[in-house]
Amino acid sequence: MTNFKFLKDIDNDLYKIASDAESLYRDEYFDQCITQTRKFAENICKKVLKNKRQPDDTFDDMLATLKDMSHGTAREKEFIDDLYFLKKCGNASVHSNTTEHSGIKALECLQRAFEAAVNFATSMPDCNPKIENLVYDEELLITGKKSKTKTLQEKYLAEKKKELNSAVTQKKSGKNKSSGQSKPKRQYSVTRKQNGKNFPIFFTLLGISFAVALITLMIIMLL
């Protein structure tokens, strides 16, 4: 089992690279794992750019092109930041003479690669909406068995997201009715992490609860 199973039907090449990176981590080949995640990042960058890159473009060239193409959304920024991080760590691992803390860094690279994979997958047409709620499972990485805690967390986040989306829709609908004018729909990007690390579940749930309460209060004030 691998955290990247969802990629298999979307892009089998990327799936193989990512699952090999996890295998290297389990065998404690941490530097090789980090290098493999850099390979994953470079290949996913190629997939996104398609014909907008030149055959002799370096990884840096492709990242610069990707950044120029960006519309500045939170999702795009997160995706590009993850690719930059994986490139930097991969380069450093190749030229490093020490393995100190490489296990910790390898795990972070796998998590970053996972976030990039989720963003890539959710940009595909007819993507399974459940992919958006996936969280990286360290227990699955080590034991090959999915953590029940992670599964419950995914279900909880999915339900909370539905509640938030419903509250936002009701709020916008109420505003449009009161003004007598229809307004164009806006798309919102959901950022999955901050400063390169996943939020602890406590802070995630606290933030969601606060957001729900705030939106509910605003709806009441508008009625």
Coordinates of all heavy atoms in Angstrom, one line a residue, residues 120-200:
F120 N -2.2 18.3 -8.3 CA -2.1 17.9 -9.7 C -3.4 17.1 -10.0 O -4.0 17.3 -11.0 CB -0.9 17.1 -9.9 CG -0.8 16.4 -11.3 CD1 -0.5 17.2 -12.4 CD2 -1.1 15.1 -11.5 CE1 -0.4 16.6 -13.7 CE2 -1.0 14.5 -12.7 CZ -0.7 15.3 -13.8
A121 N -3.7 16.1 -9.2 CA -4.9 15.3 -9.4 C -6.2 16.0 -9.5 O -7.0 15.8 -10.3 CB -4.9 14.2 -8.4
T122 N -6.4 17.0 -8.5 CA -7.6 17.7 -8.5 C -7.7 18.7 -9.6 O -8.8 19.3 -9.8 CB -7.7 18.5 -7.1 OG1 -6.6 19.3 -6.9 CG2 -7.9 17.5 -6.0
S123 N -6.7 19.0 -10.3 CA -6.8 19.8 -11.5 C -7.2 19.1 -12.8 O -7.5 19.7 -13.8 CB -5.4 20.5 -11.8 OG -4.5 19.5 -12.3
M124 N -7.3 17.8 -12.7 CA -7.7 16.9 -13.8 C -9.2 16.9 -13.9 O -10.0 17.0 -13.0 CB -7.2 15.5 -13.6 CG -5.7 15.3 -13.5 SD -4.9 15.6 -15.1 CE -4.2 17.2 -14.8
P125 N -9.7 16.8 -15.2 CA -11.2 16.8 -15.4 C -11.8 15.5 -14.8 O -11.1 14.5 -14.8 CB -11.3 16.7 -17.0 CG -10.0 17.2 -17.5 CD -9.0 16.9 -16.5
D126 N -13.0 15.6 -14.3 CA -13.7 14.5 -13.6 C -12.9 13.9 -12.5 O -13.0 12.6 -12.3 CB -14.0 13.5 -14.7 CG -14.8 14.0 -15.9 OD1 -15.7 14.8 -15.6 OD2 -14.6 13.7 -17.0
C127 N -12.2 14.7 -11.8 CA -11.4 14.1 -10.6 C -12.3 13.7 -9.5 O -13.4 14.4 -9.3 CB -10.4 15.2 -10.1 SG -9.6 14.8 -8.6
N128 N -12.0 12.6 -8.9 CA -12.8 12.1 -7.7 C -12.7 13.2 -6.6 O -11.6 13.5 -6.1 CB -12.2 10.8 -7.2 CG -13.1 10.2 -6.1 OD1 -13.8 10.9 -5.4 ND2 -12.9 8.9 -5.9
P129 N -13.8 13.8 -6.2 CA -13.7 14.8 -5.1 C -13.2 14.4 -3.8 O -12.7 15.2 -3.0 CB -15.2 15.3 -5.0 CG -16.0 14.1 -5.5 CD -15.2 13.5 -6.6
K130 N -13.1 13.1 -3.6 CA -12.6 12.6 -2.3 C -11.1 12.8 -2.2 O -10.5 12.8 -1.1 CB -12.9 11.1 -2.2 CG -14.4 10.8 -2.0 CD -14.6 9.3 -1.8 CE -16.0 8.9 -1.6 NZ -16.3 7.5 -1.4
I131 N -10.4 12.9 -3.3 CA -9.0 13.2 -3.3 C -8.6 14.4 -2.6 O -7.6 14.5 -1.9 CB -8.4 13.2 -4.8 CG1 -8.6 11.8 -5.4 CG2 -7.0 13.6 -4.8 CD1 -8.2 11.8 -6.9
E132 N -9.5 15.4 -2.7 CA -9.2 16.7 -2.1 C -9.1 16.6 -0.6 O -8.3 17.4 0.1 CB -10.4 17.7 -2.4 CG -10.3 19.0 -1.7 CD -9.2 19.9 -2.2 OE1 -8.9 19.9 -3.4 OE2 -8.5 20.5 -1.3
N133 N -9.7 15.6 0.0 CA -9.7 15.5 1.5 C -8.6 14.5 2.0 O -8.5 14.2 3.2 CB -11.1 15.0 2.0 CG -12.2 15.9 1.6 OD1 -12.1 17.1 1.8 ND2 -13.2 15.4 1.0
L134 N -7.8 13.9 1.1 CA -6.8 13.0 1.5 C -5.7 13.7 2.4 O -5.4 14.8 2.1 CB -6.1 12.4 0.3 CG -7.0 11.5 -0.6 CD1 -6.2 11.0 -1.8 CD2 -7.5 10.3 0.2
V135 N -5.2 13.0 3.4 CA -4.1 13.5 4.2 C -3.0 12.4 4.2 O -3.3 11.2 4.1 CB -4.6 13.8 5.7 CG1 -5.5 15.0 5.7 CG2 -5.3 12.6 6.3
Y136 N -1.8 12.9 4.4 CA -0.7 11.9 4.3 C -0.7 11.1 5.6 O -0.7 11.6 6.7 CB 0.7 12.7 4.2 CG 1.8 11.7 3.7 CD1 1.9 11.4 2.4 CD2 2.7 11.2 4.7 CE1 2.9 10.5 2.0 CE2 3.6 10.3 4.3 CZ 3.8 10.0 3.0 OH 4.7 9.1 2.6
D137 N -0.5 9.8 5.4 CA -0.6 8.8 6.5 C 0.7 8.2 6.7 O 1.2 7.3 6.0 CB -1.7 7.7 6.1 CG -2.0 6.8 7.2 OD1 -1.3 6.8 8.2 OD2 -3.1 6.1 7.1
E138 N 1.4 8.6 7.8 CA 2.7 8.1 8.2 C 2.6 6.6 8.6 O 3.6 5.8 8.3 CB 3.3 8.9 9.3 CG 3.7 10.3 9.0 CD 2.5 11.3 9.2 OE1 1.4 10.8 9.5 OE2 2.8 12.5 9.1
E139 N 1.5 6.2 9.2 CA 1.4 4.8 9.6 C 1.3 3.9 8.3 O 1.9 2.8 8.3 CB 0.1 4.6 10.4 CG -0.1 3.2 11.0 CD -1.2 3.1 11.9 OE1 -1.5 4.1 12.6 OE2 -1.8 2.0 12.0
L140 N 0.6 4.4 7.3 CA 0.5 3.6 6.0 C 1.9 3.5 5.4 O 2.3 2.5 4.8 CB -0.5 4.3 5.1 CG -0.6 3.7 3.7 CD1 -1.1 2.3 3.7 CD2 -1.5 4.6 2.8
L141 N 2.7 4.6 5.5 CA 4.0 4.6 4.9 C 4.9 3.5 5.6 O 5.6 2.8 4.9 CB 4.7 6.0 5.2 CG 6.2 6.1 4.9 CD1 6.5 5.9 3.4 CD2 6.7 7.5 5.4
I142 N 4.8 3.4 6.9 CA 5.7 2.5 7.6 C 5.2 1.1 7.6 O 6.0 0.1 7.4 CB 5.9 3.0 9.1 CG1 6.4 4.4 9.1 CG2 6.8 2.0 9.8 CD1 7.8 4.5 8.4
T143 N 3.9 0.9 7.9 CA 3.4 -0.5 8.1 C 2.6 -1.0 6.9 O 2.4 -2.2 6.8 CB 2.4 -0.5 9.3 OG1 1.2 0.3 8.9 CG2 3.0 0.1 10.5
G144 N 2.2 -0.2 5.9 CA 1.4 -0.6 4.8 C 0.0 -0.7 5.1 O -0.8 -1.2 4.3
K145 N -0.4 -0.3 6.3 CA -1.8 -0.3 6.7 C -2.3 1.1 7.0 O -1.7 1.8 7.7 CB -2.0 -1.2 8.0 CG -1.6 -2.7 7.7 CD -1.8 -3.5 9.0 CE -1.5 -4.9 8.8 NZ -1.6 -5.8 10.0
K146 N -3.5 1.4 6.5 CA -4.1 2.7 6.7 C -4.5 3.0 8.1 O -5.1 2.1 8.8 CB -5.3 2.9 5.7 CG -5.7 4.4 5.6 CD -6.7 4.5 4.5 CE -7.1 6.0 4.4 NZ -6.0 6.9 4.1
S147 N -4.1 4.2 8.6 CA -4.5 4.5 10.0 C -6.0 4.9 10.1 O -6.5 5.6 9.2 CB -3.6 5.8 10.4 OG -4.1 6.4 11.6
K148 N -6.6 4.3 11.1 CA -8.0 4.7 11.3 C -8.2 6.1 11.6 O -9.2 6.8 11.3 CB -8.6 3.8 12.4 CG -8.7 2.3 12.0 CD -9.3 1.5 13.1 CE -9.4 0.0 12.8 NZ -10.0 -0.8 13.9
T149 N -7.3 6.7 12.4 CA -7.3 8.1 12.7 C -7.3 9.0 11.5 O -8.1 9.9 11.4 CB -6.2 8.5 13.6 OG1 -6.2 7.7 14.8 CG2 -6.2 9.9 14.0
K150 N -6.5 8.7 10.5 CA -6.4 9.5 9.3 C -7.7 9.3 8.5 O -8.2 10.3 7.9 CB -5.2 9.0 8.4 CG -3.8 9.2 9.1 CD -3.5 10.7 9.2 CE -2.1 10.9 9.7 NZ -1.8 12.4 9.9
T151 N -8.3 8.1 8.5 CA -9.5 7.9 7.8 C -10.6 8.8 8.4 O -11.4 9.4 7.6 CB -9.9 6.4 7.8 OG1 -8.9 5.7 7.2 CG2 -11.2 6.2 7.0
L152 N -10.7 8.8 9.7 CA -11.7 9.6 10.4 C -11.5 11.1 10.1 O -12.4 11.8 9.9 CB -11.7 9.3 11.9 CG -12.2 7.9 12.3 CD1 -12.0 7.7 13.8 CD2 -13.7 7.7 11.9
Q153 N -10.2 11.5 10.1 CA -9.9 12.9 9.8 C -10.4 13.3 8.4 O -10.9 14.4 8.2 CB -8.4 13.1 10.0 CG -8.0 14.5 9.8 CD -6.5 14.7 9.9 OE1 -5.8 13.8 10.3 NE2 -6.0 15.9 9.5
E154 N -10.1 12.4 7.5 CA -10.6 12.7 6.1 C -12.1 12.9 6.0 O -12.6 13.8 5.3 CB -10.1 11.6 5.1 CG -8.6 11.6 4.9 CD -8.1 10.3 4.3 OE1 -9.0 9.5 3.9 OE2 -6.9 10.2 4.0
K155 N -12.8 12.0 6.7 CA -14.3 12.0 6.7 C -14.8 13.3 7.4 O -15.7 13.9 6.9 CB -14.9 10.8 7.4 CG -14.7 9.5 6.6 CD -15.3 8.3 7.3 CE -15.1 7.0 6.6 NZ -15.7 5.9 7.3
Y156 N -14.1 13.6 8.5 CA -14.5 14.8 9.2 C -14.3 16.1 8.4 O -15.2 17.0 8.3 CB -13.7 14.9 10.5 CG -14.1 16.1 11.4 CD1 -15.2 16.0 12.3 CD2 -13.5 17.4 11.3 CE1 -15.6 17.1 13.0 CE2 -13.8 18.4 12.0 CZ -14.9 18.3 12.9 OH -15.3 19.4 13.7
L157 N -13.1 16.2 7.7 CA -12.8 17.4 6.9 C -13.8 17.5 5.7 O -14.2 18.6 5.3 CB -11.4 17.3 6.4 CG -10.3 17.5 7.5 CD1 -8.9 17.2 6.9 CD2 -10.4 18.8 8.1
A158 N -14.2 16.3 5.2 CA -15.1 16.3 4.0 C -16.5 16.9 4.5 O -17.1 17.7 3.8 CB -15.3 14.9 3.5
E159 N -16.9 16.4 5.6 CA -18.2 16.9 6.1 C -18.2 18.4 6.5 O -19.1 19.1 6.2 CB -18.6 16.1 7.4 CG -19.0 14.6 7.1 CD -20.2 14.6 6.1 OE1 -21.2 15.3 6.3 OE2 -20.2 13.7 5.2
K160 N -17.1 18.8 7.1 CA -17.0 20.2 7.5 C -16.9 21.1 6.2 O -17.4 22.2 6.2 CB -15.8 20.4 8.3 CG -16.0 20.0 9.8 CD -17.1 20.8 10.4 CE -17.3 20.4 11.8 NZ -18.5 21.2 12.4
K161 N -16.3 20.6 5.2 CA -16.1 21.4 3.9 C -17.5 21.5 3.3 O -17.9 22.6 2.8 CB -15.2 20.7 3.0 CG -14.8 21.5 1.8 CD -13.8 20.7 0.9 CE -12.5 20.5 1.6 NZ -11.5 19.9 0.8
K162 N -18.3 20.5 3.4 CA -19.7 20.6 2.8 C -20.5 21.6 3.6 O -21.3 22.4 3.0 CB -20.4 19.2 2.9 CG -19.9 18.1 2.0 CD -20.7 16.9 2.1 CE -20.2 15.8 1.2 NZ -20.9 14.5 1.4
E163 N -20.4 21.6 4.9 CA -21.1 22.6 5.7 C -20.7 24.0 5.4 O -21.5 24.9 5.3 CB -20.8 22.3 7.2 CG -21.5 21.0 7.7 CD -21.1 20.7 9.2 OE1 -20.6 21.6 9.8 OE2 -21.4 19.6 9.6
L164 N -19.3 24.2 5.2 CA -18.8 25.5 4.9 C -19.3 26.0 3.5 O -19.7 27.1 3.4 CB -17.3 25.5 4.9 CG -16.6 25.6 6.3 CD1 -15.2 25.4 6.2 CD2 -16.9 26.9 7.0
N165 N -19.3 25.1 2.6 CA -19.7 25.4 1.2 C -21.2 25.8 1.2 O -21.6 26.7 0.5 CB -19.4 24.3 0.3 CG -17.9 24.1 0.0 OD1 -17.2 25.1 0.1 ND2 -17.5 22.9 -0.5
S166 N -22.0 25.0 2.0 CA -23.4 25.3 2.1 C -23.7 26.6 2.7 O -24.5 27.4 2.2 CB -24.1 24.2 2.9 OG -25.5 24.4 3.0
A167 N -23.0 26.9 3.8 CA -23.2 28.2 4.4 C -22.8 29.4 3.5 O -23.5 30.4 3.5 CB -22.3 28.3 5.7
V168 N -21.7 29.3 2.8 CA -21.2 30.3 1.9 C -22.3 30.5 0.8 O -22.6 31.6 0.4 CB -19.9 30.0 1.3 CG1 -19.5 30.9 0.2 CG2 -18.8 30.1 2.4
T169 N -22.8 29.4 0.2 CA -23.8 29.5 -0.8 C -25.1 30.2 -0.4 O -25.6 31.0 -1.1 CB -24.2 28.0 -1.3 OG1 -23.0 27.4 -1.8 CG2 -25.2 28.1 -2.4
Q170 N -25.5 29.8 0.9 CA -26.7 30.5 1.4 C -26.5 32.0 1.6 O -27.4 32.8 1.4 CB -27.1 29.8 2.7 CG -27.6 28.4 2.6 CD -27.9 27.8 3.9 OE1 -27.9 28.4 5.0 NE2 -28.2 26.5 3.9
K171 N -25.3 32.3 2.1 CA -25.0 33.7 2.3 C -25.0 34.5 1.0 O -25.6 35.6 0.9 CB -23.6 33.8 3.0 CG -23.1 35.3 3.2 CD -21.7 35.3 3.7 CE -21.1 36.7 3.7 NZ -19.7 36.7 4.1
K172 N -24.4 34.0 0.0 CA -24.3 34.6 -1.3 C -25.7 34.7 -1.9 O -26.1 35.7 -2.5 CB -23.4 33.9 -2.3 CG -21.9 34.0 -1.9 CD -21.0 33.0 -2.7 CE -21.0 33.4 -4.1 NZ -20.1 32.5 -4.9
S173 N -26.5 33.7 -1.8 CA -27.9 33.7 -2.3 C -28.7 34.7 -1.6 O -29.5 35.4 -2.3 CB -28.5 32.3 -2.1 OG -29.9 32.3 -2.5
G174 N -28.5 34.9 -0.3 CA -29.3 35.9 0.4 C -28.9 37.3 0.0 O -29.8 38.2 -0.2
K175 N -27.6 37.6 -0.3 CA -27.2 38.9 -0.8 C -27.8 39.2 -2.1 O -28.2 40.3 -2.4 CB -25.7 38.9 -0.8 CG -25.0 39.1 0.5 CD -23.5 39.3 0.4 CE -22.8 39.6 1.7 NZ -21.4 39.9 1.5
N176 N -27.8 38.2 -3.0 CA -28.3 38.4 -4.4 C -29.7 38.7 -4.4 O -30.2 39.5 -5.1 CB -28.0 37.1 -5.2 CG -26.5 37.0 -5.6 OD1 -25.8 37.9 -5.4 ND2 -26.1 35.8 -6.0
K177 N -30.5 38.0 -3.5 CA -31.9 38.3 -3.4 C -32.2 39.7 -2.9 O -33.1 40.3 -3.3 CB -32.6 37.2 -2.5 CG -32.7 35.8 -3.1 CD -33.3 34.9 -2.2 CE -33.4 33.5 -2.8 NZ -34.1 32.5 -1.9
S178 N -31.5 40.1 -1.9 CA -31.7 41.4 -1.3 C -31.4 42.5 -2.3 O -32.0 43.6 -2.3 CB -30.9 41.6 0.0 OG -29.5 41.5 -0.3
S179 N -30.4 42.3 -3.2 CA -30.0 43.4 -4.1 C -30.8 43.3 -5.4 O -30.9 44.3 -6.2 CB -28.5 43.2 -4.4 OG -28.3 42.0 -5.1
G180 N -31.5 42.1 -5.6 CA -32.3 42.0 -6.8 C -31.4 41.8 -8.0 O -31.9 41.9 -9.2
Q181 N -30.2 41.5 -7.9 CA -29.3 41.4 -9.0 C -28.5 40.0 -8.8 O -28.2 39.6 -7.7 CB -28.2 42.5 -9.1 CG -28.9 43.9 -9.3 CD -27.8 44.9 -9.3 OE1 -26.6 44.7 -9.0 NE2 -28.2 46.1 -9.7
S182 N -28.3 39.4 -9.9 CA -27.5 38.2 -9.9 C -26.0 38.5 -10.0 O -25.7 39.4 -10.8 CB -27.9 37.2 -11.0 OG -27.7 37.8 -12.3
K183 N -25.2 37.8 -9.3 CA -23.7 38.1 -9.3 C -23.0 36.8 -9.9 O -23.5 35.7 -9.6 CB -23.2 38.4 -7.9 CG -23.9 39.7 -7.4 CD -23.3 40.0 -6.0 CE -23.9 41.3 -5.5 NZ -23.3 41.7 -4.2
P184 N -21.9 37.0 -10.6 CA -21.2 35.9 -11.1 C -20.6 35.1 -10.0 O -20.2 35.6 -8.9 CB -20.1 36.6 -12.0 CG -19.9 37.9 -11.4 CD -21.3 38.3 -10.9
K185 N -20.5 33.8 -10.2 CA -19.9 32.9 -9.3 C -18.4 33.1 -9.2 O -17.7 33.5 -10.1 CB -20.1 31.4 -9.7 CG -21.6 31.0 -9.6 CD -21.7 29.6 -10.0 CE -23.2 29.1 -9.9 NZ -23.3 27.7 -10.3
R186 N -17.8 32.9 -8.0 CA -16.4 33.0 -7.7 C -15.9 31.7 -7.3 O -16.6 30.9 -6.6 CB -16.1 34.1 -6.7 CG -16.5 35.5 -7.1 CD -16.2 36.5 -6.0 NE -14.8 36.5 -5.6 CZ -14.3 37.1 -4.6 NH1 -15.1 37.7 -3.8 NH2 -13.0 37.1 -4.3
Q187 N -14.7 31.4 -7.7 CA -14.1 30.2 -7.3 C -13.1 30.4 -6.1 O -12.3 31.4 -6.2 CB -13.3 29.5 -8.4 CG -14.3 29.1 -9.6 CD -13.5 28.4 -10.7 OE1 -12.3 28.5 -10.8 NE2 -14.2 27.7 -11.5
Y188 N -13.1 29.6 -5.1 CA -12.3 29.7 -4.0 C -11.3 28.6 -3.9 O -11.7 27.4 -4.1 CB -13.1 29.8 -2.7 CG -14.0 31.0 -2.6 CD1 -15.3 30.9 -3.1 CD2 -13.5 32.1 -2.0 CE1 -16.1 32.0 -3.0 CE2 -14.4 33.3 -2.0 CZ -15.6 33.2 -2.5 OH -16.5 34.3 -2.4
S189 N -10.0 28.9 -3.6 CA -9.0 27.8 -3.5 C -8.9 27.5 -2.0 O -8.9 28.3 -1.2 CB -7.7 28.3 -4.0 OG -7.7 28.6 -5.4
V190 N -8.8 26.2 -1.8 CA -8.6 25.7 -0.4 C -7.1 25.4 -0.2 O -6.6 24.5 -0.8 CB -9.4 24.5 -0.1 CG1 -9.2 24.0 1.3 CG2 -10.9 24.8 -0.4
T191 N -6.4 26.1 0.7 CA -5.0 25.8 1.0 C -4.9 24.7 2.0 O -5.6 24.8 3.1 CB -4.3 27.1 1.6 OG1 -4.5 28.1 0.6 CG2 -2.9 26.8 1.8
R192 N -4.1 23.7 1.7 CA -4.1 22.5 2.6 C -3.0 22.6 3.7 O -3.0 21.9 4.6 CB -3.8 21.3 1.7 CG -4.9 20.9 0.7 CD -4.4 19.9 -0.2 NE -3.9 18.7 0.4 CZ -4.7 17.7 0.8 NH1 -6.0 17.8 0.6 NH2 -4.2 16.6 1.4
K193 N -2.1 23.5 3.6 CA -1.1 23.6 4.6 C -0.5 25.0 4.6 O -0.7 25.8 3.7 CB 0.1 22.6 4.4 CG 0.9 22.8 3.2 CD 2.0 21.7 3.1 CE 2.8 21.9 1.9 NZ 2.2 21.8 0.7
Q194 N 0.3 25.4 5.6 CA 0.9 26.7 5.8 C 2.4 26.5 6.2 O 2.7 25.6 7.0 CB 0.2 27.5 6.8 CG 0.7 28.9 6.9 CD -0.2 29.7 7.9 OE1 -1.2 29.3 8.3 NE2 0.3 30.9 8.2
N195 N 3.3 27.3 5.6 CA 4.7 27.3 5.8 C 5.3 25.9 5.6 O 6.2 25.4 6.3 CB 4.9 27.7 7.3 CG 4.6 29.1 7.5 OD1 4.6 29.9 6.6 ND2 4.2 29.4 8.8
G196 N 4.7 25.2 4.6 CA 5.3 23.9 4.2 C 4.9 22.7 5.1 O 5.4 21.6 4.9
K197 N 4.1 22.9 6.2 CA 3.8 21.8 7.1 C 2.3 21.7 7.2 O 1.6 22.7 7.2 CB 4.4 22.0 8.4 CG 6.0 22.0 8.4 CD 6.5 22.2 9.8 CE 8.1 22.2 9.8 NZ 8.6 22.3 11.1
N198 N 1.8 20.4 7.4 CA 0.4 20.2 7.6 C 0.0 20.8 9.0 O 0.7 20.6 10.0 CB 0.1 18.7 7.6 CG 0.2 18.2 6.2 OD1 0.1 18.9 5.2 ND2 0.5 16.9 6.1
F199 N -1.2 21.4 9.1 CA -1.7 21.8 10.3 C -1.9 20.6 11.2 O -2.5 19.6 10.8 CB -3.0 22.6 10.2 CG -2.8 24.0 9.8 CD1 -3.4 24.5 8.6 CD2 -2.1 24.9 10.6 CE1 -3.2 25.8 8.2 CE2 -2.0 26.2 10.2 CZ -2.5 26.7 9.0
P200 N -1.6 20.7 12.5 CA -2.1 19.7 13.4 C -3.6 19.6 13.4 O -4.3 20.7 13.2 CB -1.5 20.1 14.8 CG -0.4 21.0 14.5 CD -0.8 21.7 13.2

